[in-house]
Amino acid sequence: ALWCLMMSVTPTGGCLLDLPWEDILVPHILCHLPLQQLLSLQRVSKSFQALIQLYLANMRCFDSSQIGPAIPRAAFVNLLKDNEVLQQLALQNCSDWLTDRELLPVIGQNHHLHQIQLKGCAQLSRHALVAISLSCPNLRQLSLAHCEWVDSLSLRSLADHCKALEAVDLTACRQLKDEAICYLVQKCSRLKSLSLAVNANVGDVAVEETAKCCPELEHLDLTGCLRVKNDSIRVLAEYCPKLRSLKVKHCHNVAESSLSVLRSRGVELDVEPPLQRALVLLQDVVGFAPFINLQI
């Protein structure tokens, strides 16, 4: 069907390939086709190969999930070798093949990136984050979830050079401690979304500094941060008036006494109030019991 579309006759008697490539085909037709189909078109003819290469060189967004996680290394390098205008790069869960060798050239030649997704890319190293910090001064969103290679030195480099960051996901970056998080939020005060989930080394010091340095904060994920206690949640409520959601599930030292202020402001919390939790437990034990009189 795609072949028929591209070879269909235009009102002037030619095929679609006769239309201006840069003005018509690339911005108005190819951009609406799945990347997997575009790559298949390269095998049709030399003209199609040249057209797709032109498209790839001018592509603003690359998402590996459109092709599949198991992209051959050489194929990835070839896809982006001529592109210097990327704005969004999503390579989540590419741990089977993505290393510094493949990523660093792409980062080095694309200085307009404002969104980078590297969730679960376990074979990268701290050099990848340093390269991002040096090459992407306009970076707004960065996901490094489950990238245990992220350390305090590479995070400091990010904080020093990418001060326009608005969303950072550091879920399960277990090398990071309070000091590294404090440095990040001191330098990147525009943060609106931050995840520090699944990190046993993060405690009250990091949360309190985040609250004091990032007044625009809207979303904070502290899931499984066992060292976080009530005091830092109270500071969060005091300094972050724009907070919209807070995740504190499995934070066993955080109680309703500190959450109640946020709950009363309409902040979305991932833990139920004590009475609601008690009712859920009761229903689990005796089944649904509409006869219970809660006014006793």
Side-chain angles (χ1 to χ4, degrees):
L2 186 58
W3 163 256
C4 292
L5 170 66
M6 297 302 292
M7 295 305 295
S8 59
V9 176
T10 67
T12 60
C15 71
L16 284 182
L17 281 176
D18 295 328
L19 294 173
W21 289 11
E22 293 189 31
D23 296 330
I24 301 296
L25 292 183
V26 170
H28 297 294
I29 295 180
L30 297 187
C31 64
H32 297 292
L33 299 177
L35 185 57
Q36 186 68 56
Q37 292 187 2
L38 291 175
L39 298 182
S40 298
L41 276 175
Q42 291 189 103
R43 298 192 292 269
V44 173
S45 68
K46 289 184 178 180
S47 294
F48 274 109
Q49 184 180 26
L51 173 61
I52 301 307
Q53 286 297 321
L54 176 65
Y55 171 80
L56 294 172
N58 289 277
M59 188 167 49
R60 299 295 196 273
C61 176
F62 180 85
D63 187 345
S64 62
S65 66
Q66 295 182 10
I67 305 174
I71 307 173
R73 286 183 171 91
F76 171 76
V77 172
N78 185 62
L79 286 174
L80 297 178
K81 62 183 176 62
D82 298 320
N83 193 304
E84 298 180 358
V85 294
L86 275 180
Q87 296 179 2
Q88 301 177 39
L89 179 63
L91 298 170
Q92 61 270 23
N93 300 317
C94 294
S95 59
D96 291 340
W97 61 272
L98 185 65
T99 68
D100 290 357
R101 184 175 181 179
E102 291 77 42
L103 181 64
L104 265 57
V106 175
I107 296 298
Q109 66 191 32
N110 282 281
H111 304 293
H112 304 288
L113 281 163
H114 57 76
Q115 293 184 29
I116 299 178
Q117 164 68 267
L118 297 175
K119 177 182 178 181
C121 292
Q123 290 197 59
L124 298 175
S125 77
R126 60 183 302 271
H127 299 295
L129 186 53
V130 172
I132 289 171
S133 66
L134 296 177
S135 298
C136 308
N138 300 314
L139 195 63
R140 298 288 188 276
Q141 300 179 26
L142 176 63
S143 175
L144 299 168
H146 302 282
C147 293
E148 297 196 22
W149 44 267
V150 177
D151 61 11
S152 59
L153 288 177
S154 57
L155 193 70
R156 288 175 72 93
S157 178
L158 179 73
D160 284 335
H161 297 94
C162 300
K163 298 179 181 180
L165 277 166
E166 295 179 357
V168 179
D169 189 345
L170 299 173
T171 298
C173 293
R174 295 186 176 90
Q175 288 195 57
L176 301 178
K177 299 181 180 180
D178 282 348
E179 182 182 2
I181 303 302
C182 289
Y183 192 88
L184 173 69
V185 297
Q186 288 166 2
K187 297 288 186 175
C188 302
S189 58
R190 301 182 190 177
L191 281 175
K192 295 181 180 180
S193 177
L194 177 64
S195 176
L196 305 173
V198 200
N199 193 331
N201 294 317
V202 170
D204 284 344
V205 173
V207 177
E208 290 181 15
E209 193 67 14
T210 299
K212 294 175 181 178
C213 294
C214 303
E216 303 295 317
L217 193 67
E218 297 178 3
H219 307 282
L220 180 62
D221 190 346
L222 300 173
T223 304
C225 293
L226 303 179
R227 295 177 56 230
V228 173
K229 302 181 179 65
N230 285 321
D231 288 345
S232 61
I233 302 301
R234 294 190 182 97
V235 174
L236 194 67
E238 180 181 356
Y239 283 88
C240 296
K242 297 184 179 181
L243 193 67
R244 294 167 53 192
S245 70
L246 173 66
K247 295 183 179 180
V248 289
K249 204 168 187 178
H250 307 303
C251 294
H252 304 303
N253 295 312
V254 174
E256 185 63 22
S257 58
S258 61
L259 295 175
S260 58
V261 176
L262 293 170
R263 201 184 298 279
S264 66
R265 278 174 23 195
V267 175
E268 180 183 346
L269 303 173
D270 64 342
V271 293
E272 299 290 346
L275 178 59
Q276 186 65 35
R277 289 203 299 270
L279 287 175
V280 171
L281 290 173
L282 184 60
Q283 290 180 7
D284 287 342
V285 173
V286 302
F288 181 68
F291 54 81
I292 296 176
N293 185 355
L294 298 179
Q295 296 181 350
I296 295 177

